[in-house]
Amino acid sequence: MAHGAFRMVFSWQFWRMALLWTGSILFSRLLLLFSSSTWPWPWPSPRAGNAGSGRICVVTGATSGLGKAAAIQLARQHYHLILAGRNPELLIQTTQEIKELGLNCLVEPIQLDLSSYISIKNFQLSLKQRLSDLGFHHSIQLLVNNAGILANSFRETPDGFDEMLATNYIGAFVLSNLLMPLLKNSPVPSRVVNVTSFTHRCAFDLDVYEVLYARRKGQNYPCASTYEHSKLCLLLFSYELHRRLHLEPTCHVSVMAADPGVVETNIMRELPLFISRFSLFVLRILCLLQPPEIGVNSIIDASLAPPEASGKYFFGGKCRTIESSSLSGDTEIAEKLWSASSAIFKEMESNANQTISS
Ligand SMILES: NC(=O)c1ccc[n+]([C@@H]2O[C@H](COP(=O)([O-])OP(=O)(O)OC[C@H]3O[C@@H](n4cnc5c(N)ncnc54)[C@H](OP(=O)(O)O)[C@@H]3O)[C@@H](O)[C@H]2O)c1
């Protein structure tokens, strides 16, 4: 363990996190002070808790940190919750905890591993079945793509991708596309919220194919830059999905990106204990660290803001948006990423169909 921490402290990736990530959160805070926009709430008092009455939302990574905090806040708005998580025990435990709050909503756990296409497909089928069993309309109103990891080594997914990229981006792309018919079928406006990160600002270029198909095995896994790229991809996807949906005249699905800032969660669980504890200590001293109950505000803002805020980047709570990096607004790269991701999606789909039929 000490050896791992020692090696990490002397790696470029560590200093990238320590210096560039701190710089980018400070930059985001500056943007918040000098050039943020505030969106009006569509309800007189959304925090009073009736925004989601009878509506259904899916929250991925709902068993920990921001996902759990978001699920609780959305339950307070009377959204019916579909909790999606990869660990069945944690899912049951989280479901129980939320039910014990006695909020007026339904809480249903469904297992989902975003690093596996088969698992995402099974989730889609289970969700449709659950909606039928519960007698609900065949639609959902909100999808919060929150699940994410900060991995410290290359691990190959069953579909052949880097696990961090697959969980943070490819899985969210596939899930959003598989659930799009349910979002479009909603009788009221519906929404996708993608939980991204200020660290996307540290990615200064994006070679789409190199990032999507990267297989960096061995000790020099670029954990910081892979995380940054995965969050940049999720943000490019948010904006591209927004643009595409708004070309459809009757479409009422909006797409928001949410950046929670720096939040004390389990996200650093794979880093050596000394490094994660020391980082939290420094971030607390710099007054940059927030508890999940505060960090979640940008996710809730993005979930409840008026549909006209589609395509915006929520940061800092109080329904405020700021500009994301100029690279994230590059429409050419976004289109390239979309077609590469669609090709991956189609290939996964056909591989799965072949496996089933053989
Ligand atoms: N914390 C921060 O400072 C910060 C800042 C900016 C953005 N974010 C983003 O916020 C999101 C939530 O992270 P967090 O900080 O709340 O971290 P966290 O406490 O570690 O929670 C991550 C959640 O994602 C789930 N998850 C991981 N891999 C998954 C997979 N393959 N399939 C399904 N679920 C999976 C985890 O489930 P298990 O419990 O089963 O592992 C957990 O519920 C992430 O996208 C992260 O990148 C966090």
Side-chain angles (χ1 to χ4, degrees), residues 61-66 86-87 90 112-115 146-149 167 195-197 227 231 260-263 265-267 269:
T63 53
S64 171
L66 287 157
R86 61 180 166 173
N87 180 324
L90 278 179
L112 166 71
D113 180 351
L114 281 161
S115 67
N146 159 78
I149 55 170
T167 306
V195 180
T196 176
S197 163
Y227 182 81
K231 290 296 168 182
V262 187
V263 188
T265 64
N266 290 322
I267 193 79
R269 67 180 98 175

Side-chain angles (χ1 to χ4, degrees), residues 195-263:
V195 180
T196 176
S197 163
F198 56 90
T199 56
H200 81 272
R201 295 186 193 283
C202 307
F204 301 115
D205 56 14
L206 183 76
D207 181 330
V208 167
Y209 290 94
E210 199 183 305
V211 165
L212 289 179
Y213 293 99
R215 304 170 65 79
R216 294 195 183 97
K217 295 183 182 173
Q219 291 198 337
N220 295 324
Y221 179 68
C223 59
S225 32
T226 306
Y227 182 81
E228 292 156 15
H229 278 132
S230 70
K231 290 296 168 182
L232 175 64
C233 287
L234 190 62
L235 193 48
L236 284 158
F237 162 57
S238 298
Y239 296 149
E240 184 63 18
L241 182 61
H242 158 77
R243 282 189 287 272
R244 284 174 184 252
L245 290 172
H246 282 74
L247 289 177
E248 300 176 22
T250 53
C251 186
H252 55 240
V253 186
S254 43
V255 189
M256 277 61 170
D259 175 353
V262 187
V263 188

Side-chain angles (χ1 to χ4, degrees), residues 272-337:
L273 197 61
F274 166 75
I275 303 257
S276 58
R277 289 216 174 132
F278 183 71
S279 310
L280 290 176
F281 172 73
V282 173
L283 288 164
R284 201 170 286 119
I285 285 184
L286 293 174
C287 299
L288 293 174
L289 192 64
Q290 315 165 92
E293 297 72 36
I294 300 295
V296 78
N297 282 342
S298 61
I299 303 176
I300 300 305
D301 290 347
S303 304
L304 304 183
E308 300 79 63
S310 185
K312 299 291 175 193
Y313 182 85
F314 284 79
F315 175 77
K318 300 183 186 157
C319 221
R320 286 176 292 179
T321 58
I322 56 170
E323 289 297 315
S324 54
S325 72
S326 55
L327 187 57
S328 68
D330 188 319
T331 51
E332 224 172 274
I333 295 185
E335 272 177 40
K336 203 169 169 187
L337 180 66

